[in-house]
Amino acid sequence: MADENFEPIRLNAKAPGGERVLKSFDDIGAFILMRVETNFRKLPWWQAVLKDLPQARFGARQKETHAAMRAALSEEGWLAE
């Protein structure tokens, strides 16, 4: 996988599961699967992440997926400053 250039994303204490750091695209997928409620995954900002996540895990569309994840966390108020 191509996670060498992944810039860690910090979540604040308000995020489901508490404060944590996402260190890879696999971490993003696991966080969404295990911590984001199914109903919330239908929201446009989570759909933007989920749309490109499979490609990002294998090297394509990484910048777009990373930016979409930061935007989704920001929308939810879970992105650490």
Side-chain angles (χ1 to χ4, degrees), residues 57-70:
R57 292 177 64 208
F58 296 102
R61 302 197 55 79
Q62 291 182 342
K63 290 180 183 177
E64 295 86 352
T65 305
H66 194 276
M69 183 61 174
R70 290 183 58 81

Side-chain angles (χ1 to χ4, degrees), residues 25-51:
F25 291 105
D26 286 338
D27 286 352
I28 287 176
F31 176 79
I32 293 170
L33 179 66
M34 297 178 70
R35 301 295 181 179
V36 178
E37 292 182 30
T38 306
N39 291 340
F40 287 114
R41 292 182 209 162
K42 297 175 186 173
L43 295 170
W45 44 88
W46 290 113
Q47 287 297 303
V49 177
L50 292 169
K51 176 184 75 163

Side-chain angles (χ1 to χ4, degrees), residues 6-15 18-23 28 31 66 69-70 73-74 77-81:
F6 188 90
E7 181 182 331
I9 301 173
R10 296 191 179 280
L11 284 66
N12 62 31
K14 293 186 257 180
E19 214 173 298
R20 69 182 58 215
V21 177
L22 303 177
K23 298 178 182 176
I28 287 176
F31 176 79
H66 194 276
M69 183 61 174
R70 290 183 58 81
L73 292 169
S74 181
W78 300 341
L79 183 63
E81 299 299 322

